[in-house]
């Protein structure tokens, strides 16, 4: 179907008010979940073919989050969609005031490739929960996952309501020529800017879920072995191709060697077969990214790992030591299995270095010191994060997920997602039985006195 025709069909369907019914939304969310469940095996084999991601990782990091959020929406959208009374104040007496959550209309979800199902489907079901129609444009980089998403959605839903459009830059550019009521984009900062500019032409509101270099502070008072376990898991899950992965470590020089050793031991424990892609380790998405990552591995600084096979698009979990902020690897988001470790002697200087750079999507602090944790949380601005853990904050639907500054605009997950895809319409509702004359001409000093008294 032509994009123009699809867009018009969705506008017409939205105008019919069908999606405003909460019962309709709940029914469609249940159907969405059932369809994904029925097609799980196709979803697993597509992603395994595309970049070697196992069923375990796909379920744990993509489908479980999707099901969890759908369940939350089914349970809560009736309550969230109700109008909410607020107080009115004397100036408008007698009246009632209330806020009506309403859907925005036709929405566009543009996904990234690294968690292809989650990053396309989760914003889509959130938009459905809020009562919108949705066009999904998944990333074209993993072609089989994009195809399977299109197959299962397009063969089960009317295009007037929800539809997957496959394609790359050209297709996205064509989509962006149309006026959407909301664009939800997940991807890189440079493409985020393109989306923002295209949306501005139509004054379309955007949510931009972008990336950045997320720091990980390791203080000398933390439990080093447990820190290593949590950091290694978070960094090398999906071979480091995670927007919220710890990008680099800032460690107190006092415990640098202890940490390096613990990181190495943990990698050896988790990735025993550390010379290949297996159940626990995925491929780099394409050779372009493989080549980019390969250049970031400075042989003189490799503490552990560093092996790779271009044909298999494999890079082993790699730790770099004695890294400085001037090194190539510290320029842009790494987005791969390379973990630079930067030692510091003064935590204030380490914090200052992080603050000089664009605000990251995440930040992690490993310390038992309330004072240090409080200081970093107070001084460093970032999207979200964790204390004594990494990445897992995104699994709590009560925590809005999103960036700040260069790492993004807006947030989602749980109620925050419902808000993102809704407009809150404010209403003042008056009766006819009384109308004070104070605001009407002719004005007088007595009326002015009364207004001033009311506003005192
Ligand atoms: P990307 O920006 O290259 O692509 C994202 C989407 O934009 C894809 O669907 C792609 O087809 C489309 N696109 C690419 N170039 C375009 C152009 N010129 N015009 C219009 N559309 C275009 O990002 P990616 O490589 O898929 O993902 C990696 C990036 O995404 C990383 O920076 C990562 O941090 C970020 N990311 C962020 C989150 C988050 O939730 N904040 C999650 C995952 C990934």
């Amino acid at each position: 179907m032509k994009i123009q025709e699809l867009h018009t069909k969705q506008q017409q369907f939205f105008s019919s008010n069908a999606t405003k019914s909460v019962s309709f939304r709940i029914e469609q969310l249940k159907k969405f979940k059932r369809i994904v469940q029925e097609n799980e095996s196709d979803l697993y084999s597509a992603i395994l073919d595309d970049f070697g991601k196992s069923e375990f990782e796909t379920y744990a990091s993509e489908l479980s989050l999707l099901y969890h959020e759908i369940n939350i929406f089914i349970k809560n959208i009736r309550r969230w969609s109700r109008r909410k009374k607020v107080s009115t104040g004397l100036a408008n007496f007698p009246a009632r005031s209330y806020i009506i959550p309403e859907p925005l209309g036709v929405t566009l979800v543009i996904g990234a490739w690294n968690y292809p199902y989650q990053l396309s489907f989760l914003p889509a079901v959130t938009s459905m929960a809020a009562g919108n129609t949705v066009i999904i444009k998944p990333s074209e980089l993993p072609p089989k996952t994009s195809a399977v998403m299109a197959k299962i959605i397009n063969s089960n839903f009317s295009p007037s309501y929800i539809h997957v459009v496959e394609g790359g830059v050209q297709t996205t550019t064509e989509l962006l020529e149309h006026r959407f009521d909301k664009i939800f984009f997940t991807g890189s900062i440079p493409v985020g800017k393109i989306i923002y500019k295209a949306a501005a032409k139509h004054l379309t509101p955007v949510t931009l879920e972008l990336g950045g270099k997320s720091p990980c502070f390791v203080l000398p008072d933390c439990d080093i072995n447990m820190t290593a376990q949590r950091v290694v898991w978070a960094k090398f899950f999906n071979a480091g191709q995670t927007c919220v992965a710890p990008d680099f470590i800032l460690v107190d020089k006092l415990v640098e060697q202890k940490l390096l050793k613990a990181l190495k031991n943990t990698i050896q424990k988790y990735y025993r077969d550390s010379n290949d892609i297996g159940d626990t380790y995925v491929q780099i998405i394409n050779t372009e990214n493989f080549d980019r990552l390969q250049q970031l591995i400075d042989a003189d600084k490799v503490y552990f790992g560093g092996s790779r096979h271009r044909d298999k698009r494999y890079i082993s979990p790699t730790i770099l030591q004695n890294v400085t902020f001037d090194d190539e690897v510290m320029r842009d988001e790494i987005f791969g299995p390379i973990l630079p470790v930067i030692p510091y002697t003064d935590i204030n200087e380490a914090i200052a270095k992080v603050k000089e750079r664009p605000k990251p999507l995440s930040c992690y602090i490993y310390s038992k010191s309330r004072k240090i944790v409080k200081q970093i949380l107070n001084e460093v601005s970032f999207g979200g994060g964790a204390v004594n853990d990494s990445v897992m904050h995104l699994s709590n639907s009560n925590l809005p997920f999103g960036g700040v500054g260069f790492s993004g605009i807006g947030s989602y997950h749980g109620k925050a997602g419902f808000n993102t895809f809704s407009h809150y319409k404010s209403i003042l509702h008056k009766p006819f039985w009384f109308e004070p004359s104070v605001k009407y001409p002719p004005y007088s000093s007595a009326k002015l006195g009364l207004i001033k008294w009311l506003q005192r």
Side-chain angles (χ1 to χ4, degrees):
M1 184 182 295
K2 288 229 161 52
I3 287 173
Q4 172 69 62
E5 189 189 344
L6 174 66
H7 187 262
T8 308
K9 271 183 182 293
Q10 291 217 351
Q11 279 180 323
Q12 286 165 347
F13 186 63
F14 182 75
S15 284
S16 77
N17 294 323
T19 63
K20 293 207 172 145
S21 150
V22 175
S23 303
F24 172 84
R25 297 184 211 172
I26 291 173
E27 211 177 282
Q28 298 302 316
L29 287 168
K30 284 183 179 164
K31 178 177 167 186
F32 195 108
K33 185 176 164 193
R34 195 187 66 243
I35 284 162
V36 175
Q37 282 172 331
E38 283 168 4
N39 288 279
E40 266 186 19
S41 59
D42 285 357
L43 293 164
Y44 293 138
S45 58
I47 202 165
L48 189 69
D49 279 0
D50 277 336
F51 59 110
K53 191 159 168 170
S54 68
E55 179 175 333
F56 185 94
E57 287 209 3
T58 305
Y59 186 82
S61 65
E62 311 222 31
L63 302 186
S64 73
L65 207 62
L66 176 71
Y67 297 151
H68 175 64
E69 290 260 324
I70 292 178
N71 292 345
I72 288 176
F73 294 140
I74 290 172
K75 195 168 151 212
N76 291 291
I77 50 175
R78 206 165 282 289
R79 186 165 51 85
W80 293 345
S81 308
R82 273 192 210 124
R83 66 170 63 170
K84 188 172 167 260
K85 274 197 207 159
V86 292
S87 66
T88 298
L90 259 187
N92 282 303
F93 179 83
R96 291 179 288 142
S97 297
Y98 44 86
I99 300 164
I100 307 173
E102 68 172 17
L104 294 167
V106 180
T107 63
L108 173 64
V109 169
I110 303 172
W113 61 263
N114 56 329
Y115 292 88
Y117 302 135
Q118 190 222 117
L119 297 173
S120 290
F121 282 167
L122 196 51
V125 294
T126 312
S127 182
M128 289 163 72
N132 302 290
T133 70
V134 197
I135 295 176
I136 304 174
K137 209 300 288 173
S139 171
E140 72 284 16
L141 293 193
K144 291 192 174 156
T145 63
S146 170
V148 75
M149 282 190 273
K151 190 189 94 191
I152 70 174
I153 297 301
N154 296 351
S155 60
N156 285 290
F157 286 94
S158 159
S160 312
Y161 179 43
I162 171 166
H163 196 73
V164 175
V165 174
E166 289 193 86
V169 178
Q170 204 185 334
T171 307
T172 317
T173 308
E174 196 187 334
L175 279 163
L176 290 170
E177 280 163 16
H178 295 80
R179 192 195 172 282
F180 286 90
D181 297 289
K182 172 86 192 184
I183 298 176
F184 188 106
F185 169 80
T186 304
S188 62
I189 294 170
V191 180
K193 290 180 184 173
I194 295 172
I195 306 294
Y196 204 7
K197 208 168 158 186
K201 235 176 22 202
H202 300 289
L203 280 185
T204 295
V206 293
T207 296
L208 302 177
E209 296 283 344
L210 310 176
K213 285 186 89 63
S214 300
C216 179
F217 290 90
V218 178
L219 280 292
D221 65 343
C222 74
D223 179 325
I224 292 284
N225 287 329
M226 203 171 287
T227 297
Q229 272 179 35
R230 293 175 181 170
V231 170
V232 164
W233 176 81
K235 177 70 185 187
F236 300 109
F237 194 92
N238 217 33
Q241 302 167 112
T242 303
C243 56
V244 283
D247 188 274
F248 62 97
I249 288 182
L250 283 161
V251 61
D252 191 306
K253 189 110 187 99
L254 287 174
V255 290
E256 180 194 8
Q257 288 310 316
K258 209 173 151 192
L259 177 74
L260 285 167
K261 219 167 161 185
L263 291 170
K264 175 180 158 184
N265 290 342
T266 312
I267 292 173
Q268 285 173 323
K269 195 166 108 197
Y270 289 176
Y271 305 102
R272 263 166 297 184
D273 181 20
S274 73
N275 222 358
D276 214 343
I277 309 297
D279 273 359
T280 51
Y281 202 64
V282 312
Q283 288 175 290
I284 304 304
I285 185 69
N286 55 21
T287 42
E288 198 185 325
N289 268 287
F290 177 93
D291 292 341
R292 176 185 65 79
L293 287 164
Q294 183 160 242
Q295 284 176 5
L296 299 179
I297 303 176
D298 176 348
D300 294 341
K301 297 202 171 182
V302 172
Y303 173 80
F304 182 72
S307 59
R308 53 244 193 208
H309 304 282
R310 195 169 189 271
D311 290 349
K312 293 180 182 171
R313 305 197 315 271
Y314 167 80
I315 298 179
S316 70
T318 299
I319 302 172
L320 303 180
Q321 63 177 342
N322 297 323
V323 176
T324 72
F325 278 95
D326 299 324
D327 289 353
E328 176 77 19
V329 75
M330 290 304 294
R331 196 161 301 162
D332 294 312
E333 178 183 10
I334 297 169
F335 218 57
I338 303 165
L339 181 58
V341 177
I342 306 180
Y344 70 81
T345 46
D346 177 350
I347 185 66
N348 292 308
E349 281 173 18
I351 292 173
K353 278 287 191 192
V354 169
K355 284 168 70 176
E356 278 171 15
R357 310 168 73 91
K359 295 176 182 181
L361 183 58
S362 301
C363 176
Y364 306 111
I365 310 158
Y366 287 85
S367 172
K368 290 177 193 154
S369 158
R370 282 181 182 213
K371 189 167 158 262
I372 293 287
V373 168
K374 199 170 161 193
Q375 182 189 353
I376 297 173
L377 291 181
N378 183 43
E379 290 191 27
V380 182
S381 181
F382 55 91
V387 176
N388 301 330
D389 205 356
S390 299
V391 171
M392 289 306 290
H393 60 295
L394 71 77
S395 65
N396 180 353
S397 299
N398 296 316
L399 294 173
F401 179 78
V404 57
F406 270 83
S407 54
I409 296 174
S411 60
Y412 71 136
H413 289 189
K415 179 68 165 51
F418 184 86
N419 295 347
T420 284
F421 282 100
S422 299
H423 167 62
Y424 285 85
K425 194 155 66 185
S426 298
I427 302 296
L428 176 75
H429 193 146
K430 283 200 166 176
F432 285 114
W433 59 266
F434 178 65
E435 181 63 352
S437 61
V438 65
K439 74 178 180 206
Y440 295 114
Y443 303 134
S444 68
S445 56
K447 284 181 175 177
L448 184 61
L450 183 59
I451 292 172
K452 284 187 175 174
W453 180 79
L454 283 171
Q455 298 298 339
R456 75 196 181 279

